[in-house]
Amino acid sequence: QVQLVETGGTAVQAGGSLTLSCAASGGIFSDYGMGWFRQAPGKEREFVAFISWNGGNSRYADSVKGRFTISRVNAENTVYLQMNSLKSEDTAVYYCAASNYVGLPPIHPYEYDYWGQGTQVTVSS
């Protein structure tokens, strides 16, 4: 059983930067691909970014490509999401998730096995 805890969410002004962290425990971190999702009020949870078990492969939603960077440090059991040039539409609860996937990078929530509790990011314009 993998436990995930996100930290780093806060309120920030548009154009600013923020880094989210997700610490994993209870499993072998390098067994999992890791993803970030977000959910705004009244909207479905949406894919943000994915990174493979060794960091060699990543994928981003078009809405964040070029602004967000996902990374991981397996020795620290941690995955990060660096967010730059933040916009008001980035406001959401951000979740990290672990996937024991095989094949194409998972971009749907149902492809993930474990989830964190989420951290709120609020971007004011």
Side-chain angles (χ1 to χ4, degrees), residues 76-99:
E76 297 177 356
N77 290 350
T78 303
V79 60
Y80 302 95
L81 185 68
Q82 172 70 42
M83 305 185 292
N84 298 326
S85 302
L86 283 161
K87 305 175 182 180
S88 57
E89 50 263 45
D90 295 319
T91 294
V93 177
Y94 282 72
Y95 299 89
C96 74
S99 175

Side-chain angles (χ1 to χ4, degrees), residues 23 37 40:
F37 287 75

